[in-house]
Amino acid sequence: PYITALLFFGLVLGTSITASSSHWLLAWMGLEINTLAIIPLMAQNHHPRAIEATTKYFLTQATAAATLLFASVTNAWLTGQWDIALMTHPLPTAMITLALALKLGLAPLHTWLPEVLQGLTLTTGLILSTWQKLAPFALLLQLPCPSQKLLIILGLTSTLVGGWGGLNQTQLRKILAYSSIAHLGWMLLIVQFAPSLTLLALLTYLVMTTATFLTLKNNKATNINALATSWAKAPLLTATTPLLLLSLGGLPPMTGFLPKWLILQELTKQQLPATAVLAALTALLSLYFYLRLCYAMTLTMPPNSLAATTLWRLPTFNPSLLLATSAPMAILLLPLSPAITAMMNL
């Protein structure tokens, strides 16, 4: 327990250093502390898949961190500035954007994310999908003049790959990885026009993903077939999970509709109707696999279907305070959108 507490402290410390730094070396140091703190958490389950996932994660994060350091040194060489707010040269800015895209798992630098997430437990997967996105996003929001075309290409590619990649999957962790890529693509589309809107999208994504991971953990489900028996374990939770998945897909009247609606509105205001239309169409791809999960969970109930066998039901105690707060927030916050937008100064 002491080591786990120390590692969690390392995660918080790394993210805090990166988020509060204005100097590239400090930001890089925070990202490295963050990576080194999560690696023992990923490898604690001594399974070949977990070790493989940890190795892949370490290599990609080390590559991204090295690229970021190289770009910041190049910037200091070209302009004499180490300050994040004074990035003026387009070459280091583009390199840093790509390094952060690799850290986040944005398409086309996304291939490590589904593989890594598949090798982890649901709890570590939750940390990787939520907390580990905060530090790179803090840096993306601080970049003064990122390349508009590069961000839009990365954003659209991510929404497309995030929708397309998840269609053929049966493993829930891979589906959630592709869902994560698609959501991050939406945030990247808008980061240069309305940073506060990116922050709102990130917060709703964190709430919805937390609720989804905790629901799957409660049901001990790791593939689609295992969802079919979840009604016997937790009937009320099984009733709310389809709403949660539709919220992830961005359907009204759930919370997930709010950021998508505001992002499409902002893109239209910025004279980018084609980008808005493409983003909205790629959201349909994601919606298909969320509907697939809903179908597996609610409409294939054993013993009528032979897709899943009912497991032994052992008495388990799951601490559910976080699930009990995140699930209603992920479903019911849309009516509060005027208050939320006023608070975020949108």
Side-chain angles (χ1 to χ4, degrees), residues 90-107:
L91 178 66
T93 310
M95 282 167 63
I96 280 177
T97 308
L98 287 171
L100 293 173
L102 178 58
K103 268 205 171 291
L104 288 165
L106 289 161

Side-chain angles (χ1 to χ4, degrees), residues 62-227:
T63 309
T67 312
L68 188 129
L69 191 60
F70 175 66
S72 50
V73 170
T74 310
N75 183 59
W77 177 49
L78 289 169
T79 64
Q81 290 292 343
W82 279 99
D83 211 298
I84 296 177
L86 297 173
M87 287 282 290
T88 48
H89 202 282
L91 178 66
T93 310
M95 282 167 63
I96 280 177
T97 308
L98 287 171
L100 293 173
L102 178 58
K103 268 205 171 291
L104 288 165
L106 289 161
L109 308 165
H110 67 285
T111 42
W112 62 271
L113 184 58
E115 297 297 325
V116 166
L117 210 58
Q118 180 57 30
L120 304 179
T121 61
L122 284 165
T123 315
T124 324
L126 170 61
I127 297 169
L128 184 68
S129 301
T130 53
W131 186 262
Q132 292 298 90
K133 308 291 183 202
L134 296 180
F137 251 103
L139 290 178
L140 261 180
L141 288 167
Q142 285 185 65
L143 276 181
C145 49
S147 162
Q148 182 177 330
K149 283 180 184 171
L150 178 64
L151 285 179
I152 285 180
I153 288 167
L154 282 172
L156 277 179
T157 317
S158 298
T159 56
L160 189 62
V161 166
W164 234 329
L167 292 182
N168 209 21
Q169 301 296 337
T170 55
Q171 297 293 327
L172 296 177
R173 284 166 293 188
K174 280 194 176 180
I175 286 177
L176 285 169
Y178 282 109
S179 151
S180 169
I181 293 165
H183 277 94
L184 293 173
W186 277 87
M187 293 170 217
L188 218 68
L189 283 174
I190 206 70
V191 71
Q192 64 221 343
F193 304 123
S196 52
L197 193 46
T198 304
L199 211 56
L200 173 68
L202 182 62
L203 288 173
T204 50
Y205 160 76
L206 293 181
V207 170
M208 293 187 296
T209 308
T210 304
T212 313
F213 266 100
L214 290 175
T215 304
L216 298 180
K217 185 171 180 286
N218 202 355
N219 289 331
K220 295 186 173 61
T222 53
N223 60 17
I224 291 185
N225 285 350
L227 287 176

